[in-house]
Structure formats: structure tokens, C-alpha cells
């Protein structure tokens, strides 16, 4: 009887039911779209941060460079007597930070709630190469009139002069990163994938092997099997890597021990990459490291995220603040409107419910009937809302608007989180700009939330209508009889 009456009433009052369902659908659809866009923002920010510190890294430990080391300039010495011969000189410099002892990684790894910690060495290579050409000495035209000809505009000097000669040199600078090959799941190389050749392995700890970033390889026509000469040492390129998003952390990746040898920095590192055993303990781990490893700067992903600016940051703020509050306001308004419409519909059914009570229906049965109709309206609204929400999320993903994230905000991130900082990127630019295509993924949790909202909207509307229906008396039906 209940379902028969329910089906007939919904069919007879299709327009009213559709209005209530559409009101709920708009609110639920907006919630799904905003939640999906917000998830897309989180994923976009995750890609930006991943391009800096690598997959799985929760924080880094560094030590700021001193003023004296920051002003040190490399010196190059060449032999000017070697006419016509090619000359080259490399200088390998520690980039961005003061060095830490390699044992710092072990010390950090022993802290509570630290799953693992590995070290890395950030270097910059300055390469000068070119040739000197000696000039040719041409003797004077002799004595006698030489003194009269030697003045300004008077031709050649009687003592002769050197003509021609000179020097032509090119300067090249690129970044090198020493990677702890015993664990490649942390650090900057983990944010890149090998697209050609092979990557570094634990067996390459002392090998003269290198992985080159794809952009640098293309610019310098480097392929797998090529050789790079750094400070007189030849390295074989075993693989080409491509950054997952944004710029790569370095142009060339070498085994850590090899990088330390090139920089005359034995048992030295510039960055410790830390993976916490529990994401809820990151703040506690940061405090413990700052206490037990004094003089260092600990930078977490949250610290670095605060330095991300640009349209990505603006859009994320809008989605998190304005968008969510707007969707909540619209959802509340939809619930209230649904409740008022249901209550109004009950008022128009006074004769019907009064007659049913006169026939013996209890107030509870009338209330259950109204609640049932409202729940069905809510489920219909939920289905329509899910469809609207999925359509909105699909539209955002199909358009894929490009958002710009500027990293560093014109300077380095906290604790050196800019170039060479959190993630050890070796770029010297004051800021980096990364373009990210926005998507709007819809999770199962979002769909479940939509269903719960639909049921909640139906219950709220049913509560309004049920309360109104329970107060009707059979005498009310008689007053409406014409």
C-alpha cells in the first residue's frame, strides 16, 4: 500500500517533485564540481612540489651558505704561449649551501618517525674553453726617418709592432647533482623518469656513469653512449631522463661519490632528503631534527607550498575558500527551498490527508508517507546532481585550463627551498615558473558524499512536510469541502 500510494502521488505531482529534485540537484552538482576542482588543485600543487623535491620526500635538511663562500669566485689559468692550441679548464663548485658531513644523513635517519634519509650534493660546473693566437711581430722601417714617422699618424714605429693575434673563449655553465644511488626513491632524480637508456643503480656507486636531463641533452646533442668530460674525468651517458613536470633539478646526475671527488668534497653533502614514517608526525620530526642537528634548516613540503604563487595559487585559494563556501551556501539554500516546497505541497493536500485520517490513518503513517515521497525526491535530485557534477568536472578536464605556478616568489624558498634548495634543484634563477594543466578528478568519496547529501536533503524536506502533515486534523478536510 505504501509504495503504491507513493508511486501514484509522485506520478500525479510530477512537476512539484521535479522542482524539489532540481533544487537539490543544483546544490549537489555544485558541491561535486567544486570538490573535484579542489582535488585537481591539490594534484597540480603536488606536481609542482614533486618537481622540486622528488617523489616521497617530506622534508629536506640544509645549511645556509656563508657570506664568504657566496662571494668566492673561481679562477682560471691558461698558457698564453700555446698558440693555436685548444685550451680548456673546468671548475666544479658546491652550489647553494654549505656542505654537511655525509654522516648527517645517518644522524637524521636515526630520528624518531623517520623512515629513511639520504644525502645529495648540488654542484655547478663552469667550463671555459677556446684558443690563444699569437700575433706576428713586424719590424720597423729602419732608422733615419723613423723618428719622424713614429708619431701619431706617422706610420710604423722604427722599433716595430705586433699585429694580429688574440684569444677566443667560450664559457659554459651547467648543473650537476650527486645522487645517493643506494636509494633512488628520494631526492630530485625521483621526480624524473628514464626515457632513453638506463638509470643509475646501486652498482654504479663508483662507476663513471651519468644520467642527463632530456632538455640539456637535446640542446647539446648528447645521446646514450656519449661521453661527458668533467674536470678531466670522462663519464659515460647511460640514460636520458625527463622531468615529470616543470624543469629538471639538474642537467647531469652522477653517483654521489663521483660528484664528491669532482668537487674535492669527500664525505660531504649539501642536502638531506627525509621521508617520515607517518605524515602526521612531520612537524614533530622537523622539531627533533632542528634540536638534534643544530645549525641546519629543515624545510617541509608545507613550507615550500607557501612559496608557490601565480594563477595556480590564486585559483587554489578561490576553490578552497570562495568555492567551497559558495557551494555550502547554495546547498543549504537548496535544502531549505526543498523543505519549504514540500511543506507548501502538504498544505495544498489538506483535504487528502484529512480524509485519510478520517478513514483511520494515524499521524505517524501520514508522516511516513510524506517522508517517503521526500526521500524519493532527494534521491532523484541526487542522481541529477551527480550527473551535473560529473558534467562540470568533465568540462573542466576537457578544457584543461593552464595554470602558472611561480616558485620561490622572487627569491629562495624557506631554508633555501629555491634553486638548489628543497629538492636540490640547481637552477640559479631567482624564481621558476611551471605550467600545469588543471584537471577535475571525481573520487568515489565525492560520489558517496553526493548520495549522503541527497538523502540528507530528502530527510530535511520530509521533516518539514511531515511536521506540517502531522498537525492536520480530519476537521480541516471538512472546512475545505465546497
Amino acid at each position: 500500500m505504501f509504495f503504491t500510494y507513493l508511486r501514484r502521488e509522485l506520478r500525479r505531482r510530477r512537476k512539484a517533485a521535479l522542482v524539489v529534485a532540481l533544487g537539490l540537484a543544483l546544490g549537489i552538482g555544485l558541491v561535486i564540481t567544486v570538490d573535484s576542482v579542489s582535488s585537481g588543485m591539490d594534484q597540480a600543487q603536488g606536481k609542482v612540489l614533486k618537481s622540486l623535491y622528488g617523489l616521497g620526500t617530506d622534508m629536506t635538511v640544509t645549511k645556509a651558505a656563508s657570506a664568504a663562500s657566496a662571494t668566492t669566485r673561481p679562477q682560471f689559468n691558461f698558457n698564453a704561449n700555446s698558440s693555436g692550441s685548444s685550451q680548456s679548464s673546468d671548475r666544479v663548485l658546491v652550489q647553494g649551501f654549505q656542505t654537511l658531513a655525509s654522516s648527517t644523513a645517518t644522524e637524521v635517519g636515526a630520528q624518531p618517525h623517520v623512515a629513511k634519509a639520504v644525502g645529495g650534493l648540488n654542484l655547478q660546473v663552469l667550463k671555459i674553453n677556446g684558443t690563444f693566437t699569437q700575433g706576428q711581430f713586424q719590424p720597423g722601417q729602419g732608422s733615419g726617418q723613423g723618428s719622424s714617422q713614429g708619431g701619431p699618424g706617422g706610420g710604423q714605429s722604427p722599433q716595430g709592432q705586433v699585429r694580429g693575434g688574440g684569444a677566443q673563449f667560450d664559457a659554459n655553465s651547467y648543473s650537476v647533482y650527486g645522487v645517493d644511488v643506494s636509494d633512488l626513491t628520494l631526492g630530485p632524480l625521483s621526480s624524473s623518469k628514464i626515457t632513453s637508456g638506463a638509470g643509475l643503480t646501486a652498482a654504479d656507486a663508483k662507476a663513471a656513469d651519468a644520467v642527463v636531463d632530456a632538455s640539456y641533452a637535446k640542446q647539446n646533442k648528447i645521446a646514450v653512449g656519449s661521453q661527458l668530460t668533467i674536470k678531466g674525468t670522462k663519464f659515460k651517458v647511460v640514460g636520458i631522463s625527463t622531468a615529470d613536470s616543470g624543469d629538471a633539478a639538474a642537467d647531469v646526475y652522477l653517483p654521489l661519490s663521483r660528484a664528491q671527488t669532482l668537487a674535492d668534497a669527500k664525505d660531504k653533502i649539501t642536502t638531506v632528503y627525509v621521508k617520515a614514517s607517518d605524515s602526521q608526525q612531520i612537524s614533530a620530526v622537523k622539531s627533533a631534527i632542528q634540536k638534534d642537528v643544530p645549525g641546519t634548516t629543515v624545510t617541509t613540503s608545507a613550507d615550500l607550498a607557501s612559496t608557490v604563487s601565480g594563477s595556480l595559487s590564486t585559483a587554489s585559494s578561490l576553490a578552497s575558500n570562495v568555492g567551497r563556501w559558495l557551494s555550502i551556501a547554495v546547498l543549504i539554500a537548496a535544502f531549505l527551498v526543498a523543505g519549504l516546497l514540500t511543506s507548501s505541497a502538504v498544505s495544498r493536500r489538506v483535504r487528502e490527508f484529512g480524509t485519510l485520517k478520517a478513514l483511520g490513518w494515524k499521524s505517524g503513517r501520514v508522516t511516513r508517507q510524506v517522508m517517503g515521497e521526500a526521500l524519493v525526491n532527494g534521491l532523484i535530485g541526487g542522481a541529477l546532481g551527480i550527473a551535473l557534477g560529473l558534467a562540470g568536472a568533465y568540462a573542466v578536464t576537457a578544457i584543461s585550463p593552464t595554470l602558472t605556478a611561480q616558485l620561490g616568489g622572487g627569491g629562495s624558498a624557506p631554508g633555501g627551498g629555491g634553486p638548489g634548495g628543497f629538492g636540490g634543484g640547481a637552477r640559479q634563477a631567482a624564481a621558476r615558473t611551471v605550467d600545469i594543466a588543471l584537471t577535475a578528478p571525481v573520487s568515489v568519496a565525492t560520489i558517496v558524499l553526493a548520495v549522503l547529501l541527497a538523502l540528507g536533503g530528502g530527510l530535511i524536506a520530509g521533516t518539514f512536510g511531515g511536521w506540517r502533515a502531522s498537525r492536520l486534523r480530519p476537521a480541516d478536510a471538512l472546512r475545505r469541502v465546497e
Side-chain angles (χ1 to χ4, degrees), residues 75-445:
Q75 295 181 346
F76 296 87
N77 299 316
F78 297 97
N79 182 8
N81 294 324
S82 302
S83 179
S85 61
S86 177
Q87 299 189 53
S88 178
S89 181
D90 291 356
R91 292 295 181 268
V92 181
L93 308 174
V94 174
Q95 179 69 27
F97 303 99
Q98 286 192 54
T99 56
L100 301 166
S102 296
S103 58
T104 305
T106 303
E107 186 177 359
V108 171
Q111 300 297 316
H113 306 295
V114 172
K116 51 187 174 181
V118 298
L121 184 62
N122 188 14
L123 305 175
Q124 191 79 7
V125 178
L126 301 177
K127 187 179 185 66
I128 305 293
N129 59 73
T131 58
F132 284 106
T133 302
Q134 291 185 348
Q136 299 296 322
F137 177 77
Q138 295 182 352
Q141 294 181 348
S143 59
Q145 298 179 349
S147 59
S148 63
Q149 297 175 345
Q156 291 183 327
S157 169
Q159 289 80 17
Q161 61 181 327
V162 177
R163 291 184 178 274
Q168 183 175 3
F169 281 80
D170 293 327
N172 184 26
S173 173
Y174 57 95
S175 56
V176 173
Y177 207 87
V179 179
D180 188 343
V181 295
S182 65
D183 190 341
L184 295 173
T185 60
L186 293 180
L189 192 54
S190 65
S191 62
S192 298
K193 59 182 178 181
I194 303 299
T195 52
S196 180
L200 297 174
T201 64
D204 298 323
K206 296 184 178 180
D209 292 338
V211 170
V212 179
D213 176 62
S215 298
Y216 184 77
K218 181 178 180 181
Q219 180 182 356
N220 294 275
K221 299 180 179 179
I222 298 174
V224 174
S226 301
Q227 284 190 335
L228 295 176
T229 302
I230 305 175
K231 205 175 179 180
T233 303
K234 292 184 178 180
F235 291 88
K236 181 181 178 181
V237 177
V238 296
I240 304 295
S241 66
T242 302
D244 291 338
S245 63
D247 294 334
D251 296 319
V252 179
Y253 301 93
L254 302 177
L256 178 58
S257 61
R258 283 289 189 168
Q260 291 170 333
T261 301
L262 290 176
D264 295 324
K266 185 178 180 181
D267 296 328
K268 298 292 183 180
I269 56 177
T270 54
T271 310
V272 180
Y273 300 92
V274 184
K275 172 66 175 178
S277 58
D278 184 355
S279 60
Q280 303 299 321
Q281 299 294 329
I282 291 179
S283 296
V285 172
K286 178 179 179 178
S287 299
I289 294 175
Q290 289 174 328
K291 178 181 178 181
D292 297 338
V293 190
T296 59
T297 300
V298 182
T299 308
T300 66
S301 56
D303 296 329
L304 189 60
S306 64
T307 70
V308 177
S309 59
S311 61
L312 174 59
S313 178
T314 303
S316 180
S317 298
L318 289 174
S320 299
N321 299 320
V322 179
R324 286 186 177 177
W325 282 112
L326 177 62
S327 62
I328 292 174
V330 171
L331 189 62
I332 292 175
F335 284 177
L336 291 176
V337 169
L340 292 175
L341 288 175
T342 303
S343 179
S344 177
V346 170
S347 298
R348 292 193 298 270
R349 298 167 67 184
V350 171
R351 292 174 57 186
E352 175 186 341
F353 290 133
T355 302
L356 290 175
K357 283 190 172 185
L359 294 175
W361 279 39
K362 302 294 185 181
S363 295
R365 185 175 181 182
V366 174
T367 301
R368 288 194 297 273
Q369 193 68 45
V370 174
M371 289 287 290
E373 295 175 11
L375 280 175
V376 172
N377 288 337
L379 291 175
I380 294 174
L384 294 175
I386 291 174
L388 289 175
L390 291 176
Y394 176 79
V396 173
T397 303
I399 297 172
S400 296
T402 300
L403 300 177
T404 300
Q406 186 171 345
L407 312 175
S412 62
F422 187 51
R427 298 290 183 255
Q428 273 301 96
R432 290 172 53 190
T433 300
V434 179
D435 292 332
I436 299 292
L438 177 64
T439 60
V442 180
S443 64
V444 176

Side-chain angles (χ1 to χ4, degrees), residues 439-459:
T439 60
V442 180
S443 64
V444 176
T446 302
I447 300 298
V448 173
L449 175 63
V451 174
L452 294 177
L453 289 176
L455 292 174
L459 287 174

Side-chain angles (χ1 to χ4, degrees), residues 8-70:
R8 289 177 179 177
E9 286 301 314
L10 290 174
R11 184 181 301 172
R12 189 163 61 93
R13 305 179 185 276
R14 287 192 297 267
K15 291 184 179 180
L18 186 60
V19 170
V20 174
L22 284 177
L24 292 173
L26 289 175
I28 294 172
L30 183 59
V31 169
I32 293 176
T33 302
V34 172
D35 187 75
S36 300
V37 171
S38 181
S39 298
M41 296 291 181
D42 293 339
Q43 288 187 4
Q45 284 193 330
K47 290 179 181 179
V48 172
L49 300 181
K50 179 183 172 183
S51 71
L52 293 180
Y53 56 74
L55 181 65
T57 304
D58 291 320
M59 65 188 74
T60 59
V61 181
T62 56
K63 188 174 184 179
S66 63
S69 62

